[in-house]
Every structure is written in C-alpha cells, then in structure tokens.
Amino acid sequence: MQMSAYRARAQEYATALGGAHHRYFAGLDQSWDPAAIHAAHADCWSVQAVEALGERAATGNVGARRLWRFAVTARLRALTAPHDDERSRRAASGGLPALTADLAVETDVLERARIEQRRLELTTETLSPSAGAALEVIRSETRRLGWPSYRALWTAMTGIDLGGLARRAEALLRDEDPPDLGDAYTRADVPRWHRAIWADQAFPSHALLPSLRSALVEHGTDPDDPGFTIDVAARPGKSSRAFCAAVRVPGDIHLVVGPTGGIQDAEALFHEAGHAVLLAGRDARWRFEERHLLPPHVAEAAAFAFERRVPDHGQERIAAHLATSRVLRRRRMAARLLHELDLLDHGPVQDLRERYARRMARATGLDWPGAPWLTDADALLGSADYVRADEIAG
C-alpha cells in the first residue's frame, strides 16, 4: 500500500462526508446519503486496507495507527449505516425529537410522565431492533477482521488501556455521589433540568454569538479567522443546536449556530466552538492524519475546556448548574461505557436491560427505565473517549 495514495483518498472521503454533513444539517441541502459516500470510497475501508494499515500500525508508527483507526471506524460505520439510517428515519417519523422538546418545557409532572411513556414505547417497539442489529454487525465484523472482540481491537487502535479505563469508571460511580438535580426525580425530568428555562434571561439568543466572540478573543483566537466560519443565518431545516463540521482541516471548518437561547444552547455552542478552534489551529503542511485525525479524546478534552468559558454572569445558581451538568455528564458517560462493554462482550441479551437501568439510576440518582438499553449505547465506544477526555480536562 502506498501511504501517500491512501492519505489522498482518505482526505477525499473525509471531505465528502464532512461536506455532506455540513450542508444537510446547516439546512443547505434537503437530504444526504452517507451510505452512497461510504460506497464511493469503499477502497478506504476494505479488508485489504484495514489489514495493511494494521500491519504498519503494529510497527509503532503513530500515523499509521491513526489511519488504521480511521479505516476500521469507517468500515464499521459503513456496514452499520443501513441500520443507523433506519433508526434515524423512524425516530423522526415517530416524533421522538418533538417529544423530547416537549419534555424540556412541560411543567406538569403527570403530562411529562405521559410524554415519557410515548418515548419509551417508540424506543422499544421501533428503534431498538435496528440498534440491536447494528451492534451485532460490529461484533461479527470485528471477529471477521481477526480480533476476539471490539474491546481488544479498540485497545490496539488507541493504545489506551480500556480495562483500566473501565475500572476507573466503576470507581468514579462508586466514590462520587450522584449530582443534586433539585426537583428532577426520573429520566423524564432530565430534558427540563437541562433546558433550565429559569436561566433564559441570562442567555438570550441574540447574545450567544457576541458572548462566544468575546470568549474566542480571550482565548487568543480571532473570531473572524478565515480558518473557520460561524454560520448564524436562519434557514429552514437548519439544526437547532450548534455543531462543528470539518470539511477540510484546516481552512474549511464550519461552526453552525442555530440557537433558540438558553443555558443548554450556550453549553452546546461553546463545546462545538472548542472543536472548531482546535481544528482551525492545525498546520496545513502536516499530513492528513496529523491534521484531521486527532485522537477523539484529545478533541473532546479541548471541547470540554472551551465549554467552561460559558459565562455564569456572576450568578451562583448558573455557576452551580453548569458545574452539576458536567458531573451528570461525567457519571452518565462512565455508566454508558460499562454498559457498552457489556453489550460488546455478551450481545443484546435481555439480562443487560435491567443491569443498564440499575447502572444509570446509580449514576444519576434518578429513577431510570430499561427501555433505552440499546438506543442509549454507542457500540464504537464513543463513551470511552468522553471518559478519557474528562480525565484530561479535569
């Protein structure tokens, strides 16, 4: 394998995916077809490419290891894309985003319980089958690539002791108390707690961008840096939450903003700005893997760090909410990591449903249902990157 040729193709692949993702969620395109993009670049994630990169990575070459993880992840995402697409379509057609939005503003406890019941029914009856199917694809494909488990493959790709990380996650859940979420008692109350309508006056939608620009200046970043653009235009179909899209690193990075205001939007905006700042600062002379393929836990740690620049406006209640939000995320990610490892080790066996419910209740201090045990999991272990990032960010 010619590494220079592979890098060039990998860049084309990343640019195609990043560009399509950006245009669709920014409301610039009416649809997107990630499966077609995966198929058009199948040479980047073929078994031959994965094996060749794995052999180079085994020699200790850091760049080859990053490219190997890129190829493996691309292969698994391409093979699970049909199941993921089906789940996304069914969630949208079943009204799941609207139900979650309703929970965030509903003040009546009984009505929240009714909305949550509809969410759980949709999850169990419509979304769980495709999530379980995607999990099994990852388990079987990992074995096809010659690895006993995705746990072993992930450890080899990252160089991170996953067993040690899991033990630290378990210790975190054991040694740290769940956060105090006030009058939130069940999972159904979490969207409303995060939305924190009481803080809206401190975070009006028109002030979020000026607040971000000030934080960028304090960070030493030019908010008008041509390395990334901040898209604040209103348009139909645009995501209501901020996101960062890397089309080409550096030089073609988009921070897309469609906030409605509120503390939750501020957290998301500053988090995604952390990603954009990190990517915009890469050196254009570096190789593809050095520019585009930052270890995910490093990227998330940078996003966590920038997220802490969300202003509290000198209000103790806001500062406490922001701190509690970080604790809640940390504990949820620790619990998710342990659950995802169980799923990868054993498959979607029913015993894990109740174990998931108990683990999440322990993590959050809330009554937690078992229904999301498959949909609230990332079989590619994104939670491991979050847990590691939190350790780095401190």
Side-chain angles (χ1 to χ4, degrees), residues 2 63 93-94 121 123-124 156 174 227 239 256 296 324 346 356 363 380 386:
Q2 291 292 326
S93 64
E121 290 170 356
T123 296
T124 300
R174 181 183 64 245
S239 172
V256 181
T324 301
H346 306 292
Y356 161 81
L380 295 183
Y386 272 87

Side-chain angles (χ1 to χ4, degrees), residues 62 157 166 220 227 366 373 377 389:
V62 174
M157 291 190 299
L366 305 173
W373 70 297

Side-chain angles (χ1 to χ4, degrees), residues 283-325:
D283 193 320
R285 296 169 295 181
W286 293 347
R287 293 173 174 173
F288 167 76
E289 63 271 25
E290 296 164 340
R291 292 180 288 106
H292 264 270
L293 305 184
L294 285 167
H297 68 277
V298 173
E300 290 301 334
F304 286 167
F306 201 87
E307 183 185 318
R308 294 190 178 187
R309 293 177 178 270
V310 174
D312 61 23
H313 301 289
Q315 297 185 33
E316 291 185 7
R317 187 179 183 188
I318 291 176
H321 182 91
L322 292 168
T324 301
S325 180

Side-chain angles (χ1 to χ4, degrees), residues 56 68 137 164 227 252 271 296 322 357:
R56 287 180 180 264
W68 180 37
V137 168
D252 196 0
H271 183 97
L322 292 168

Side-chain angles (χ1 to χ4, degrees), residues 328-340:
L328 180 61
R329 177 175 59 197
R330 175 169 65 241
R331 292 182 60 82
R332 284 186 67 175
M333 286 299 123
R336 274 187 56 180
L337 171 60
L338 298 171
H339 176 59
E340 288 161 5

Side-chain angles (χ1 to χ4, degrees), residues 42-116:
D43 55 312
C44 290
W45 48 267
S46 66
V47 171
Q48 293 80 5
V50 168
E51 291 178 346
L53 290 167
E55 290 172 2
R56 287 180 180 264
T59 67
N61 186 304
V62 174
R65 176 183 280 174
R66 291 187 183 183
L67 290 170
W68 180 37
R69 186 178 185 183
F70 171 81
V72 170
T73 302
R75 180 172 186 82
L76 296 177
R77 291 197 186 283
L79 295 177
T80 57
H83 302 296
D84 295 336
D85 291 347
E86 179 185 6
R87 180 157 49 126
S88 295
R89 288 194 301 271
R90 292 193 173 197
S93 64
L96 184 61
L99 291 173
T100 303
D102 289 344
L103 279 179
V105 298
E106 180 55 59
T107 59
D108 183 76
V109 174
L110 293 179
E111 182 58 24
R112 284 205 300 274
R114 286 191 286 269
I115 295 171
E116 174 73 342

Side-chain angles (χ1 to χ4, degrees), residues 25-352:
F25 288 99
L28 298 171
D29 286 348
Q30 296 298 309
S31 63
W32 74 313
D33 187 358
I37 298 173
H38 289 311
H41 299 84
D43 55 312
C44 290
W45 48 267
S46 66
V47 171
Q48 293 80 5
V50 168
E51 291 178 346
L53 290 167
E55 290 172 2
R56 287 180 180 264
T59 67
N61 186 304
V62 174
R65 176 183 280 174
R66 291 187 183 183
L67 290 170
W68 180 37
R69 186 178 185 183
F70 171 81
V72 170
T73 302
R75 180 172 186 82
L76 296 177
R77 291 197 186 283
L79 295 177
T80 57
H83 302 296
D84 295 336
D85 291 347
E86 179 185 6
R87 180 157 49 126
S88 295
R89 288 194 301 271
R90 292 193 173 197
S93 64
L96 184 61
L99 291 173
T100 303
D102 289 344
L103 279 179
V105 298
E106 180 55 59
T107 59
D108 183 76
V109 174
L110 293 179
E111 182 58 24
R112 284 205 300 274
R114 286 191 286 269
I115 295 171
E116 174 73 342
Q117 185 58 37
R118 292 199 293 274
R119 280 209 309 172
L120 297 178
E121 290 170 356
L122 176 63
T123 296
T124 300
E125 299 169 7
T126 307
L127 307 182
S128 292
S130 55
L135 168 66
E136 289 293 53
V137 168
I138 290 172
R139 281 165 42 84
S140 63
E141 187 60 27
T142 299
R143 292 191 293 270
R144 183 187 174 196
L145 292 174
W147 291 84
S149 67
Y150 187 70
R151 178 195 290 254
L153 176 56
W154 190 93
T155 298
M157 291 190 299
T158 64
I160 296 172
D161 177 9
L162 186 55
L165 190 63
R167 288 190 291 275
R168 294 197 298 277
E170 186 64 63
L172 172 71
L173 295 176
R174 181 183 64 245
D175 299 337
E176 179 186 66
D177 291 331
D180 180 1
L181 302 183
D183 61 356
Y185 301 104
T186 73
R187 176 179 178 263
D189 300 325
V190 172
R192 183 167 178 264
W193 183 88
H194 273 301
R195 178 62 183 80
I197 293 174
W198 54 266
D200 279 5
Q201 188 173 1
F203 297 94
S205 59
H206 66 269
L208 289 184
L209 184 57
S211 179
L212 173 64
R213 291 177 67 88
S214 295
L216 289 170
V217 171
E218 291 175 3
H219 179 263
T221 299
D222 180 359
D224 297 312
D225 185 338
F228 68 93
T229 59
I230 303 178
D231 172 9
V232 298
R235 64 179 68 91
K238 187 178 186 181
S239 172
S240 61
R241 283 177 62 82
F243 69 91
C244 174
V247 180
R248 190 175 183 91
V249 179
D252 196 0
I253 299 158
H254 302 264
L255 177 58
V256 181
V257 183
T260 56
I263 194 170
Q264 189 175 14
D265 268 350
E267 290 177 285
L269 174 59
F270 277 64
H271 183 97
E272 296 303 320
H275 285 301
V277 168
L278 182 64
L279 292 171
R282 311 306 289 169
D283 193 320
R285 296 169 295 181
W286 293 347
R287 293 173 174 173
F288 167 76
E289 63 271 25
E290 296 164 340
R291 292 180 288 106
H292 264 270
L293 305 184
L294 285 167
H297 68 277
V298 173
E300 290 301 334
F304 286 167
F306 201 87
E307 183 185 318
R308 294 190 178 187
R309 293 177 178 270
V310 174
D312 61 23
H313 301 289
Q315 297 185 33
E316 291 185 7
R317 187 179 183 188
I318 291 176
H321 182 91
L322 292 168
T324 301
S325 180
R326 292 193 290 269
V327 173
L328 180 61
R329 177 175 59 197
R330 175 169 65 241
R331 292 182 60 82
R332 284 186 67 175
M333 286 299 123
R336 274 187 56 180
L337 171 60
L338 298 171
H339 176 59
E340 288 161 5
L341 290 174
D342 279 347
L343 287 172
L344 287 165
D345 288 346
H346 306 292
V349 295
Q350 282 293 318
D351 286 352
L352 297 183

